[in-house]
Amino acid sequence: MSNSDHVCFNCQRSEMEIPVLAWRYQGQMVWVCSECMPLLIHKWQQVAEKMQPPKE
Ligand SMILES: [Zn+2]
């Protein structure tokens, strides 16, 4: 089983539990479930921080 790739970046739920959509951000694929999608729209600043890969 390799469906675990399609997991919401925010709540970690997979497409087996909830519909997820693929977004693109800075050249990367980001999966977001239908429940977390409003976060991207209304709380973008907060979400953007989560999406940034940690910089070392
Ligand atoms: Zn989610």
Side-chain angles (χ1 to χ4, degrees), residues 8-13 18 20 31-37:
C8 173
F9 83 98
N10 189 56
C11 66
Q12 315 298 319
R13 278 186 289 183
I18 191 162
V20 294
W31 294 92
V32 183
C33 78
S34 56
E35 211 167 275
C36 296
M37 241 174 59

Side-chain angles (χ1 to χ4, degrees):
M1 299 266 272
S2 57
N3 286 332
S4 51
D5 285 345
H6 303 169
V7 169
C8 173
F9 83 98
N10 189 56
C11 66
Q12 315 298 319
R13 278 186 289 183
S14 80
E15 65 176 350
M16 306 308 282
E17 299 168 75
I18 191 162
V20 294
L21 281 172
W23 292 58
R24 289 193 63 87
Y25 182 53
Q26 298 183 347
Q28 291 193 36
M29 206 77 133
V30 179
W31 294 92
V32 183
C33 78
S34 56
E35 211 167 275
C36 296
M37 241 174 59
L39 288 178
L40 271 75
I41 298 161
H42 299 294
K43 304 200 169 167
W44 172 241
Q45 289 304 322
Q46 200 175 306
V47 171
E49 285 172 29
K50 270 193 148 181
M51 283 188 177
Q52 303 282 339
K55 283 169 195 152
E56 299 279 334

